Amino acid sequence: MKFTIIWTKQALDDLSVIWMSGADKNEKQRITSAADKVDSLITSLMQEYASESKSKNFHLQVNMLNIVCEFSPLDCMIKVIGIWKS
């Protein structure tokens, strides 16, 4: 089953603030690298959730980024609804 991944405006705004507050070029590169991995990680995890019938939220951690997603199996959609730096 294929799922669509959508980042909410708030999640994108939060990621922008995280990136802009990066201490230096190296930290910004680590933030970019972690953010780039989010969609592929969600896609691989969806195999685990594919049989679910109820909506649920789940949490991921990719390097220094914490991500909250909302899984909606009826819509075949995953929304990235929150992101913060640990």
Side-chain angles (χ1 to χ4, degrees):
M1 183 174 280
K2 186 173 179 172
F3 295 91
T4 301
I5 301 170
I6 297 174
W7 286 63
T8 63
K9 181 178 179 335
Q10 184 62 54
L12 289 172
D13 289 349
D14 292 346
L15 180 58
S16 295
V17 169
I18 292 166
W19 191 86
M20 293 298 291
S21 65
D24 56 32
K25 183 179 177 181
N26 290 331
E27 184 174 11
K28 288 181 179 186
Q29 181 56 46
R30 288 193 306 273
I31 293 165
T32 300
S33 178
D36 287 345
K37 294 176 186 174
V38 171
D39 285 2
S40 61
L41 180 58
I42 290 171
T43 300
S44 66
L45 288 173
M46 283 306 97
Q47 303 307 318
E48 183 179 325
Y49 290 106
S51 64
E52 295 282 333
S53 60
K54 295 181 182 176
S55 295
K56 63 164 63 173
N57 290 358
F58 60 94
H59 174 261
L60 303 171
Q61 185 167 8
V62 181
N63 298 336
M64 80 288 288
L65 298 179
N66 291 281
I67 300 101
V68 176
C69 299
E70 180 182 88
F71 173 60
S72 179
L74 297 177
D75 299 328
C76 295
M77 188 177 300
I78 299 101
K79 290 182 185 176
V80 178
I81 58 174
I83 185 165
W84 69 95
K85 185 177 167 196
S86 54

